[in-house]
Amino acid sequence: PSSDCVVAEQLCLSDSTCNATYRTLENCALAKPHLLSLDHDSRVRCLNAELDLGNSSLLHCKCHRRMKRQEHCLRIFWTVHSSMTDGYFNLETSPYENPVNEEHWKTDYNKLAALVSGKNCSQLAGDATNPCLTATHICNLSKKCFRLRTDYASICTKGAGSEDVCDRRKCHRGLRNFFEKVHEEFTKRILFCPCQDEFCGERRRKTIVPDCSFQYNTKPNCLWLLDSCLEDHICKSRLADFQQNCQPVDMSPDGCSLHNHAACLQAYMGMIGTPMTPNYVSNSSVEVSLWCTCENSGNQKEKCDQILSMFESNKCL
């Protein structure tokens, strides 16, 4: 069976039985966001349709993080798995392919040395004092990294922090474009550069232009952020990926259920440019958080705290 949901959908639609089942699931997925919960009979019908897919390639298909038709692929995945999306802590299956390998994320300094060889050393000024500035210089050596970084920076700085002028949706799209299309050798260095002072820390915190991509004039409730996320196929998918790969476990020596910090960092990067964009909370630490609060959450305070703690006090992350 094909592991690509777009191909799997085409195969299913060409079979009359699978086609009928899939159309039922499409109706289930469309109805769900408009109702607090499906009535019992409708829910049973949706669950049965999902079970009826049996060993269909649709039931086991995945999407690629950098594929061209990513949104279409994710829509197919959540159509087939619509019964799994009752709440944040039920998003345990990532729609994306297997997490990255640790080895893939190890910095290849020889490759970097080749990149900067022959370049003017002044381009790498601040190497000892500001690794984030160095990371930016290295990004500038790549035409693609420089172009896409300049693109999102220009979009996200329009309005200079004024919420009325800043187009957050376009800013988020530009950020996702950067982190999806530029090689991780550049993006992770810019986002995770090690800092010893606040000047470096401020540059790191401002990597994503937080006035536009992260902050609102007032902090919204975290449950509102979650609702916004679950209505968006990309955000819901990135959240599922983050939960799967950054699930903390107290008894585990490394704090991760999957024992793969590289996959967790990649999943964290995937959240940037979504309604639940995280960021560093200050210039002097590597602590991260969402821009939201759990005040006035009523009887959902515990759920709200759990969402926030996945970023603020996550041992795996």
Side-chain angles (χ1 to χ4, degrees):
S2 171
S3 62
D4 185 326
C5 289
V6 176
V7 176
E9 182 191 45
Q10 292 170 347
L11 290 171
C12 177
L13 296 180
S14 65
D15 175 87
S16 58
T17 304
C18 187
N19 191 325
T21 304
Y22 184 61
R23 296 305 182 193
T24 299
L25 287 172
E26 279 189 316
N27 291 332
C28 295
L30 285 171
K32 195 158 189 176
H34 303 293
L35 302 170
L36 289 175
S37 61
L38 293 170
D39 62 69
H40 177 72
D41 290 344
S42 297
R43 186 169 177 78
V44 169
R45 187 172 67 253
C46 292
L47 286 169
N48 285 339
E50 195 170 312
L51 291 171
D52 285 344
L53 285 177
N55 291 322
S56 163
S57 53
L58 267 175
L59 201 58
H60 308 287
C61 72
K62 295 281 186 176
C63 301
H64 305 284
R65 288 176 180 82
R66 300 186 178 211
M67 69 190 295
K68 286 184 178 179
R69 301 181 67 190
Q70 185 181 164
E71 287 191 56
H72 178 64
C73 185
L74 295 174
R75 181 187 61 75
I76 296 167
F77 179 90
W78 292 116
T79 294
V80 176
H81 298 281
S82 61
S83 67
M84 295 166 50
T85 60
D86 286 336
Y88 175 71
F89 289 93
N90 287 337
L91 292 178
E92 294 177 353
T93 300
S94 171
Y96 292 109
E97 291 279 4
N98 291 335
V100 291
N101 187 293
E102 288 278 5
E103 290 296 322
H104 174 62
W105 269 60
K106 287 184 177 174
T107 303
D108 187 344
Y109 287 102
N110 291 328
K111 190 185 294 181
L112 274 180
L115 271 176
V116 300
S117 63
K119 303 288 181 184
N120 188 328
C121 288
S122 65
Q123 280 185 289
L124 300 179
D127 183 38
T129 57
N130 197 333
C132 290
L133 187 59
T134 303
T136 302
H137 287 318
I138 291 172
C139 170
N140 292 345
L141 295 175
S142 160
K143 287 181 181 178
K144 192 173 192 178
C145 189
F146 174 74
R147 176 173 56 83
L148 291 176
R149 181 175 167 274
T150 303
D151 284 352
Y152 86 71
S154 63
I155 295 168
C156 299
T157 50
K158 283 179 183 174
S162 168
E163 196 170 4
D164 294 330
V165 183
C166 159
D167 191 327
R168 180 172 279 110
R169 189 179 291 273
K170 282 187 178 178
C171 176
H172 281 168
R173 194 183 305 129
L175 280 165
R176 291 201 308 272
N177 220 23
F178 175 73
F179 285 108
E180 284 178 16
K181 294 184 177 179
V182 176
H183 196 281
E184 289 163 356
E185 196 63 60
F186 298 105
T187 56
K188 67 174 183 178
R189 180 171 279 97
I190 287 176
L191 193 62
F192 303 125
C193 42
C195 291
Q196 301 297 321
D197 60 59
E198 291 197 13
F199 294 108
C200 177
E202 182 176 16
R203 190 177 187 93
R204 179 174 60 192
R205 188 178 61 82
K206 289 189 173 179
T207 295
I208 68 167
V209 197
D211 284 349
C212 185
S213 69
F214 178 66
Q215 295 172 198
Y216 292 79
N217 287 338
T218 56
K219 282 189 176 183
N221 187 281
C222 297
L223 294 170
W224 178 83
L225 274 191
L226 175 63
D227 288 341
S228 300
C229 184
L230 295 179
E231 290 172 5
D232 179 283
H233 282 130
I234 286 184
C235 188
K236 180 164 63 173
S237 301
R238 302 297 173 83
L239 183 59
D241 197 52
F242 178 80
Q243 185 181 336
Q244 176 177 295
N245 291 302
C246 295
Q247 190 66 249
V249 178
D250 289 335
M251 301 302 290
S252 174
D254 66 359
C256 293
S257 63
L258 295 184
H259 313 294
N260 192 336
H261 288 283
C264 178
L265 288 179
Q266 186 183 56
Y268 172 85
M269 287 169 67
M271 295 300 301
I272 295 172
T274 71
M276 287 183 73
T277 293
N279 196 25
Y280 297 98
V281 297
S282 74
N283 299 339
S284 55
S285 78
V286 290
E287 290 179 26
V288 297
S289 181
L290 298 172
W291 183 262
C292 63
T293 178
C294 283
E295 291 178 14
N296 304 317
S297 296
N299 59 5
Q300 290 191 296
K301 176 75 162 57
E302 186 178 349
K303 178 183 177 183
C304 187
D305 287 338
Q306 285 178 311
I307 295 163
L308 198 52
S309 68
M310 279 296 288
F311 293 87
E312 285 190 343
S313 53
N314 187 327
K315 290 182 178 180
C316 182
L317 180 63

